mmCIF file of all heavy atoms in Angstrom:
data_model
loop_
_atom_site.group_PDB
_atom_site.id
_atom_site.type_symbol
_atom_site.label_atom_id
_atom_site.label_comp_id
_atom_site.label_asym_id
_atom_site.label_seq_id
_atom_site.Cartn_x
_atom_site.Cartn_y
_atom_site.Cartn_z
ATOM 1 N N PRO C 1 98.372 65.111 278.948
ATOM 2 C CA PRO C 1 98.165 65.053 280.389
ATOM 3 C C PRO C 1 99.268 65.756 281.126
ATOM 4 O O PRO C 1 99.344 65.676 282.383
ATOM 5 C CB PRO C 1 98.175 63.553 280.669
ATOM 6 C CG PRO C 1 99.012 62.976 279.593
ATOM 7 C CD PRO C 1 98.808 63.808 278.385
ATOM 8 N N ILE C 2 100.137 66.464 280.495
ATOM 9 C CA ILE C 2 101.211 67.216 281.105
ATOM 10 C C ILE C 2 101.118 68.668 280.705
ATOM 11 O O ILE C 2 100.391 69.010 279.747
ATOM 12 C CB ILE C 2 102.600 66.648 280.752
ATOM 13 C CG1 ILE C 2 102.786 66.704 279.184
ATOM 14 C CG2 ILE C 2 102.802 65.234 281.221
ATOM 15 C CD1 ILE C 2 104.197 66.347 278.751
ATOM 16 N N SER C 3 101.819 69.524 281.405
ATOM 17 C CA SER C 3 101.844 70.950 281.111
ATOM 18 C C SER C 3 103.201 71.386 280.561
ATOM 19 O O SER C 3 104.215 71.054 281.195
ATOM 20 C CB SER C 3 101.494 71.760 282.377
ATOM 21 O OG SER C 3 101.583 73.130 282.118
ATOM 22 N N PHE C 4 103.245 71.986 279.414
ATOM 23 C CA PHE C 4 104.458 72.520 278.886
ATOM 24 C C PHE C 4 104.169 73.805 278.093
ATOM 25 O O PHE C 4 103.109 74.043 277.651
ATOM 26 C CB PHE C 4 105.148 71.480 277.976
ATOM 27 C CG PHE C 4 104.396 71.087 276.750
ATOM 28 C CD1 PHE C 4 104.612 71.765 275.527
ATOM 29 C CD2 PHE C 4 103.444 70.087 276.760
ATOM 30 C CE1 PHE C 4 103.899 71.397 274.397
ATOM 31 C CE2 PHE C 4 102.750 69.718 275.635
ATOM 32 C CZ PHE C 4 102.974 70.382 274.463
ATOM 33 N N SER C 5 105.183 74.663 277.996
ATOM 34 C CA SER C 5 105.039 75.920 277.325
ATOM 35 C C SER C 5 105.763 75.838 275.960
ATOM 36 O O SER C 5 106.617 75.034 275.756
ATOM 37 C CB SER C 5 105.601 77.096 278.157
ATOM 38 O OG SER C 5 106.989 76.893 278.404
ATOM 39 N N ILE C 6 105.343 76.779 275.098
ATOM 40 C CA ILE C 6 105.880 76.816 273.706
ATOM 41 C C ILE C 6 106.326 78.231 273.413
ATOM 42 O O ILE C 6 105.640 79.205 273.709
ATOM 43 C CB ILE C 6 104.854 76.369 272.713
ATOM 44 C CG1 ILE C 6 104.552 74.876 272.804
ATOM 45 C CG2 ILE C 6 105.311 76.724 271.259
ATOM 46 C CD1 ILE C 6 103.463 74.379 271.920
ATOM 47 N N ILE C 7 107.500 78.357 272.808
ATOM 48 C CA ILE C 7 107.935 79.624 272.241
ATOM 49 C C ILE C 7 108.471 79.337 270.845
ATOM 50 O O ILE C 7 109.329 78.441 270.665
ATOM 51 C CB ILE C 7 108.980 80.353 273.088
ATOM 52 C CG1 ILE C 7 109.398 81.674 272.429
ATOM 53 C CG2 ILE C 7 110.225 79.480 273.368
ATOM 54 C CD1 ILE C 7 110.154 82.647 273.260
ATOM 55 N N ALA C 8 107.923 79.991 269.852
ATOM 56 C CA ALA C 8 108.373 79.816 268.482
ATOM 57 C C ALA C 8 109.530 80.759 268.174
ATOM 58 O O ALA C 8 109.526 81.897 268.604
ATOM 59 C CB ALA C 8 107.232 80.080 267.480
ATOM 60 N N VAL C 9 110.566 80.201 267.538
ATOM 61 C CA VAL C 9 111.742 81.023 267.201
ATOM 62 C C VAL C 9 112.027 80.872 265.705
ATOM 63 O O VAL C 9 112.102 79.794 265.188
ATOM 64 C CB VAL C 9 112.969 80.561 268.009
ATOM 65 C CG1 VAL C 9 114.211 81.213 267.491
ATOM 66 C CG2 VAL C 9 112.767 80.875 269.501
ATOM 67 N N ASN C 10 112.171 82.018 265.069
ATOM 68 C CA ASN C 10 112.568 82.059 263.700
ATOM 69 C C ASN C 10 113.901 82.745 263.570
ATOM 70 O O ASN C 10 114.203 83.771 264.225
ATOM 71 C CB ASN C 10 111.564 82.802 262.808
ATOM 72 C CG ASN C 10 112.064 83.088 261.389
ATOM 73 O OD1 ASN C 10 112.401 84.210 261.068
ATOM 74 N ND2 ASN C 10 112.194 82.024 260.598
ATOM 75 N N LEU C 11 114.808 82.124 262.784
ATOM 76 C CA LEU C 11 116.088 82.718 262.488
ATOM 77 C C LEU C 11 116.056 83.450 261.140
ATOM 78 O O LEU C 11 115.997 82.786 260.104
ATOM 79 C CB LEU C 11 117.169 81.629 262.495
ATOM 80 C CG LEU C 11 118.597 82.084 262.137
ATOM 81 C CD1 LEU C 11 119.089 83.210 263.032
ATOM 82 C CD2 LEU C 11 119.575 80.899 262.139
ATOM 83 N N ASP C 12 116.118 84.757 261.216
ATOM 84 C CA ASP C 12 116.200 85.564 259.997
ATOM 85 C C ASP C 12 117.677 85.631 259.601
ATOM 86 O O ASP C 12 118.458 86.347 260.189
ATOM 87 C CB ASP C 12 115.642 86.953 260.230
ATOM 88 C CG ASP C 12 115.686 87.869 259.045
ATOM 89 O OD1 ASP C 12 116.215 87.421 258.021
ATOM 90 O OD2 ASP C 12 115.183 89.008 259.135
ATOM 91 N N GLN C 13 118.002 84.860 258.518
ATOM 92 C CA GLN C 13 119.398 84.792 258.088
ATOM 93 C C GLN C 13 119.776 85.818 257.021
ATOM 94 O O GLN C 13 120.825 85.749 256.440
ATOM 95 C CB GLN C 13 119.646 83.374 257.528
ATOM 96 C CG GLN C 13 119.407 82.310 258.547
ATOM 97 C CD GLN C 13 119.570 80.861 257.966
ATOM 98 O OE1 GLN C 13 118.611 80.271 257.533
ATOM 99 N NE2 GLN C 13 120.783 80.393 257.922
ATOM 100 N N LYS C 14 118.923 86.764 256.889
ATOM 101 C CA LYS C 14 119.151 87.914 255.966
ATOM 102 C C LYS C 14 119.342 87.502 254.526
ATOM 103 O O LYS C 14 120.157 88.070 253.814
ATOM 104 C CB LYS C 14 120.365 88.729 256.480
ATOM 105 C CG LYS C 14 120.168 89.346 257.834
ATOM 106 C CD LYS C 14 118.909 90.199 257.862
ATOM 107 C CE LYS C 14 118.615 90.773 259.249
ATOM 108 N NZ LYS C 14 117.350 91.519 259.276
ATOM 109 N N GLN C 15 118.561 86.498 254.124
ATOM 110 C CA GLN C 15 118.568 86.099 252.726
ATOM 111 C C GLN C 15 117.851 87.188 251.941
ATOM 112 O O GLN C 15 116.850 87.745 252.382
ATOM 113 C CB GLN C 15 117.865 84.783 252.598
ATOM 114 C CG GLN C 15 118.507 83.613 253.265
ATOM 115 C CD GLN C 15 117.708 82.338 253.163
ATOM 116 O OE1 GLN C 15 116.827 82.210 252.342
ATOM 117 N NE2 GLN C 15 117.986 81.380 254.030
ATOM 118 N N PRO C 16 118.329 87.505 250.771
ATOM 119 C CA PRO C 16 117.710 88.532 249.934
ATOM 120 C C PRO C 16 116.238 88.206 249.641
ATOM 121 O O PRO C 16 115.907 87.074 249.286
ATOM 122 C CB PRO C 16 118.549 88.482 248.603
ATOM 123 C CG PRO C 16 119.866 87.937 249.037
ATOM 124 C CD PRO C 16 119.539 86.964 250.142
ATOM 125 N N GLY C 17 115.385 89.165 249.817
ATOM 126 C CA GLY C 17 113.947 88.953 249.525
ATOM 127 C C GLY C 17 113.174 88.216 250.640
ATOM 128 O O GLY C 17 112.007 87.952 250.466
ATOM 129 N N PHE C 18 113.831 87.969 251.790
ATOM 130 C CA PHE C 18 113.108 87.285 252.835
ATOM 131 C C PHE C 18 112.004 88.150 253.394
ATOM 132 O O PHE C 18 112.202 89.290 253.821
ATOM 133 C CB PHE C 18 114.072 86.927 254.015
ATOM 134 C CG PHE C 18 113.451 86.149 255.141
ATOM 135 C CD1 PHE C 18 113.217 84.795 255.017
ATOM 136 C CD2 PHE C 18 113.100 86.830 256.313
ATOM 137 C CE1 PHE C 18 112.589 84.125 256.071
ATOM 138 C CE2 PHE C 18 112.511 86.136 257.349
ATOM 139 C CZ PHE C 18 112.248 84.782 257.209
ATOM 140 N N PRO C 19 110.721 87.637 253.359
ATOM 141 C CA PRO C 19 109.617 88.453 253.784
ATOM 142 C C PRO C 19 109.537 88.508 255.333
ATOM 143 O O PRO C 19 108.890 87.651 255.977
ATOM 144 C CB PRO C 19 108.425 87.703 253.209
ATOM 145 C CG PRO C 19 108.830 86.278 253.106
ATOM 146 C CD PRO C 19 110.343 86.341 252.853
ATOM 147 N N GLU C 20 110.144 89.482 255.941
ATOM 148 C CA GLU C 20 110.252 89.553 257.395
ATOM 149 C C GLU C 20 108.930 89.669 258.138
ATOM 150 O O GLU C 20 108.834 89.313 259.282
ATOM 151 C CB GLU C 20 111.138 90.738 257.755
ATOM 152 C CG GLU C 20 112.571 90.670 257.229
ATOM 153 C CD GLU C 20 113.377 91.889 257.572
ATOM 154 O OE1 GLU C 20 112.853 92.790 258.294
ATOM 155 O OE2 GLU C 20 114.568 91.959 257.178
ATOM 156 N N HIS C 21 107.853 90.097 257.460
ATOM 157 C CA HIS C 21 106.614 90.332 258.140
ATOM 158 C C HIS C 21 105.715 89.079 258.275
ATOM 159 O O HIS C 21 104.862 89.064 259.150
ATOM 160 C CB HIS C 21 105.803 91.404 257.342
ATOM 161 C CG HIS C 21 105.374 90.878 255.987
ATOM 162 N ND1 HIS C 21 106.309 90.801 254.923
ATOM 163 C CD2 HIS C 21 104.196 90.451 255.493
ATOM 164 C CE1 HIS C 21 105.671 90.319 253.868
ATOM 165 N NE2 HIS C 21 104.405 90.099 254.193
ATOM 166 N N VAL C 22 106.006 88.081 257.479
ATOM 167 C CA VAL C 22 105.090 86.902 257.377
ATOM 168 C C VAL C 22 104.958 86.182 258.707
ATOM 169 O O VAL C 22 103.836 85.994 259.217
ATOM 170 C CB VAL C 22 105.546 85.946 256.271
ATOM 171 C CG1 VAL C 22 104.720 84.640 256.333
ATOM 172 C CG2 VAL C 22 105.377 86.623 254.920
ATOM 173 N N LEU C 23 106.053 85.733 259.265
ATOM 174 C CA LEU C 23 105.993 84.937 260.496
ATOM 175 C C LEU C 23 105.476 85.706 261.675
ATOM 176 O O LEU C 23 104.640 85.243 262.445
ATOM 177 C CB LEU C 23 107.374 84.288 260.772
ATOM 178 C CG LEU C 23 107.673 83.098 259.870
ATOM 179 C CD1 LEU C 23 109.091 82.661 260.039
ATOM 180 C CD2 LEU C 23 106.731 81.934 260.158
ATOM 181 N N PRO C 24 105.971 86.967 261.919
ATOM 182 C CA PRO C 24 105.451 87.754 263.080
ATOM 183 C C PRO C 24 103.924 87.927 262.991
ATOM 184 O O PRO C 24 103.236 87.814 263.980
ATOM 185 C CB PRO C 24 106.180 89.067 262.969
ATOM 186 C CG PRO C 24 107.488 88.681 262.370
ATOM 187 C CD PRO C 24 107.174 87.650 261.344
ATOM 188 N N GLU C 25 103.415 88.201 261.789
ATOM 189 C CA GLU C 25 102.025 88.394 261.633
ATOM 190 C C GLU C 25 101.216 87.144 261.897
ATOM 191 O O GLU C 25 100.186 87.092 262.568
ATOM 192 C CB GLU C 25 101.705 88.898 260.218
ATOM 193 C CG GLU C 25 102.136 90.332 259.967
ATOM 194 C CD GLU C 25 101.833 90.811 258.538
ATOM 195 O OE1 GLU C 25 101.248 90.007 257.767
ATOM 196 O OE2 GLU C 25 102.146 91.965 258.206
ATOM 197 N N TYR C 26 101.762 86.000 261.375
ATOM 198 C CA TYR C 26 101.091 84.685 261.572
ATOM 199 C C TYR C 26 101.077 84.299 263.059
ATOM 200 O O TYR C 26 100.045 83.875 263.566
ATOM 201 C CB TYR C 26 101.830 83.645 260.718
ATOM 202 C CG TYR C 26 101.285 82.241 260.903
ATOM 203 C CD1 TYR C 26 100.122 81.851 260.315
ATOM 204 C CD2 TYR C 26 101.977 81.322 261.713
ATOM 205 C CE1 TYR C 26 99.609 80.535 260.488
ATOM 206 C CE2 TYR C 26 101.490 80.028 261.888
ATOM 207 C CZ TYR C 26 100.338 79.638 261.284
ATOM 208 O OH TYR C 26 99.825 78.380 261.484
ATOM 209 N N LEU C 27 102.188 84.438 263.705
ATOM 210 C CA LEU C 27 102.290 84.039 265.103
ATOM 211 C C LEU C 27 101.525 84.948 266.035
ATOM 212 O O LEU C 27 100.943 84.511 267.027
ATOM 213 C CB LEU C 27 103.789 83.939 265.512
ATOM 214 C CG LEU C 27 104.585 82.882 264.794
ATOM 215 C CD1 LEU C 27 106.073 83.090 265.032
ATOM 216 C CD2 LEU C 27 104.160 81.511 265.255
ATOM 217 N N THR C 28 101.526 86.203 265.710
ATOM 218 C CA THR C 28 100.681 87.146 266.503
ATOM 219 C C THR C 28 99.179 86.801 266.382
ATOM 220 O O THR C 28 98.475 86.813 267.412
ATOM 221 C CB THR C 28 100.942 88.592 266.012
ATOM 222 O OG1 THR C 28 102.316 88.938 266.200
ATOM 223 C CG2 THR C 28 100.073 89.600 266.819
ATOM 224 N N GLN C 29 98.803 86.458 265.177
ATOM 225 C CA GLN C 29 97.410 86.067 264.984
ATOM 226 C C GLN C 29 97.037 84.797 265.780
ATOM 227 O O GLN C 29 95.944 84.668 266.272
ATOM 228 C CB GLN C 29 97.155 85.826 263.466
ATOM 229 C CG GLN C 29 95.717 85.538 263.155
ATOM 230 C CD GLN C 29 95.534 85.309 261.609
ATOM 231 O OE1 GLN C 29 96.492 85.393 260.899
ATOM 232 N NE2 GLN C 29 94.305 85.047 261.198
ATOM 233 N N LEU C 30 98.004 83.852 265.849
ATOM 234 C CA LEU C 30 97.826 82.658 266.621
ATOM 235 C C LEU C 30 97.855 82.850 268.109
ATOM 236 O O LEU C 30 97.309 82.065 268.876
ATOM 237 C CB LEU C 30 98.868 81.617 266.302
ATOM 238 C CG LEU C 30 98.702 80.770 265.005
ATOM 239 C CD1 LEU C 30 99.867 79.784 264.904
ATOM 240 C CD2 LEU C 30 97.403 80.053 264.950
ATOM 241 N N GLY C 31 98.455 83.957 268.537
ATOM 242 C CA GLY C 31 98.621 84.181 269.968
ATOM 243 C C GLY C 31 99.771 83.359 270.549
ATOM 244 O O GLY C 31 99.747 83.068 271.751
ATOM 245 N N VAL C 32 100.752 83.046 269.754
ATOM 246 C CA VAL C 32 101.869 82.232 270.213
ATOM 247 C C VAL C 32 103.050 83.129 270.560
ATOM 248 O O VAL C 32 103.367 84.082 269.870
ATOM 249 C CB VAL C 32 102.355 81.262 269.115
ATOM 250 C CG1 VAL C 32 103.571 80.477 269.533
ATOM 251 C CG2 VAL C 32 101.175 80.283 268.798
ATOM 252 N N ASP C 33 103.692 82.864 271.689
ATOM 253 C CA ASP C 33 104.922 83.568 272.048
ATOM 254 C C ASP C 33 106.003 83.284 271.062
ATOM 255 O O ASP C 33 106.145 82.127 270.617
ATOM 256 C CB ASP C 33 105.431 83.122 273.444
ATOM 257 C CG ASP C 33 104.538 83.639 274.581
ATOM 258 O OD1 ASP C 33 103.794 84.610 274.378
ATOM 259 O OD2 ASP C 33 104.540 82.996 275.655
ATOM 260 N N PHE C 34 106.709 84.300 270.610
ATOM 261 C CA PHE C 34 107.725 84.101 269.588
ATOM 262 C C PHE C 34 108.841 85.078 269.680
ATOM 263 O O PHE C 34 108.714 86.149 270.335
ATOM 264 C CB PHE C 34 107.116 84.127 268.195
ATOM 265 C CG PHE C 34 106.717 85.493 267.709
ATOM 266 C CD1 PHE C 34 107.599 86.279 266.967
ATOM 267 C CD2 PHE C 34 105.451 85.981 267.984
ATOM 268 C CE1 PHE C 34 107.268 87.551 266.539
ATOM 269 C CE2 PHE C 34 105.087 87.270 267.603
ATOM 270 C CZ PHE C 34 105.964 88.047 266.823
ATOM 271 N N GLU C 35 109.955 84.736 269.049
ATOM 272 C CA GLU C 35 111.067 85.623 268.922
ATOM 273 C C GLU C 35 111.708 85.441 267.546
ATOM 274 O O GLU C 35 111.818 84.288 267.086
ATOM 275 C CB GLU C 35 112.066 85.385 270.043
ATOM 276 C CG GLU C 35 113.330 86.308 269.907
ATOM 277 C CD GLU C 35 114.251 86.222 271.113
ATOM 278 O OE1 GLU C 35 113.712 86.040 272.267
ATOM 279 O OE2 GLU C 35 115.450 86.331 270.931
ATOM 280 N N VAL C 36 112.081 86.540 266.920
ATOM 281 C CA VAL C 36 112.825 86.447 265.653
ATOM 282 C C VAL C 36 114.279 86.834 265.941
ATOM 283 O O VAL C 36 114.549 87.941 266.442
ATOM 284 C CB VAL C 36 112.206 87.432 264.603
ATOM 285 C CG1 VAL C 36 113.071 87.414 263.332
ATOM 286 C CG2 VAL C 36 110.802 87.032 264.268
#
């Protein structure tokens, strides 16, 4: 019954082999505002 906004934030800690594309693709598909 209230209004609030959401922004998803992922911290890329530069771990070896971290798949950088996964979260941006998933969040874009959802239509969620995000920042890496």
Side-chain angles (χ1 to χ4, degrees):
I2 59 173
S3 175
F4 63 93
S5 61
I6 289 175
I7 180 167
V9 170
N10 170 252
L11 174 57
D12 180 356
Q13 298 176 267
K14 297 305 175 183
Q15 298 176 17
F18 182 78
E20 299 178 1
H21 65 285
V22 172
L23 285 171
E25 290 179 0
Y26 176 76
L27 294 169
T28 299
Q29 184 179 2
L30 279 182
V32 175
D33 290 338
F34 72 92
E35 179 171 324
V36 175

